[in-house]
Amino acid sequence: GDRACQRSARHVRDRVLPGDLLYIPGHLMMVIGHVDGQLYVIHDIEGGSWLGADGVLHRMHLNGVSVTPFAPLRFDDHSDFTDHLTAILRIP
């Protein structure tokens, strides 16, 4: 794996390719591509949250396999997925 703590979402976005696996503790995502500068992943997720442009935390209920942008997803009220990313794995 590749240690990614303290890295920006842009740094992650610029170094991954479709098919790469992103791991945060207890959660695995697969990169499916980039659209308009956003990194998109597919993952099995119960729900999630993100900070809106207004700075308000928004929550969503998904409960299944979903395609979402990676960068705005929040791990908790104080950090995002990028803050908790521990591995980027490229399978040859």
Side-chain angles (χ1 to χ4, degrees):
D2 181 21
R3 195 87 182 139
C5 292
Q6 304 297 322
R7 295 192 179 154
S8 70
R10 181 177 177 179
H11 180 83
V12 172
R13 181 196 70 209
D14 291 348
R15 68 181 304 188
V16 297
L17 298 172
D20 286 355
L21 301 175
L22 306 178
Y23 179 76
I24 63 172
H27 193 67
L28 181 67
M29 298 160 275
M30 178 183 280
V31 173
I32 60 169
H34 302 83
V35 176
D36 296 330
Q38 284 265 29
L39 173 63
Y40 280 81
V41 295
I42 187 167
H43 48 146
D44 187 1
I45 189 167
E46 183 176 312
S49 57
W50 72 97
L51 281 179
D54 54 3
V56 174
L57 189 65
H58 300 272
R59 298 190 189 281
M60 65 184 156
H61 179 74
L62 297 170
N63 200 26
V65 175
S66 301
V67 172
T68 66
F70 175 74
L73 291 176
R74 303 294 292 180
F75 185 81
D76 56 30
D77 290 348
H78 306 289
S79 60
D80 62 26
F81 272 27
T82 305
D83 296 331
H84 293 269
L85 187 64
T86 58
I88 299 171
L89 179 63
R90 182 162 297 147
I91 300 173

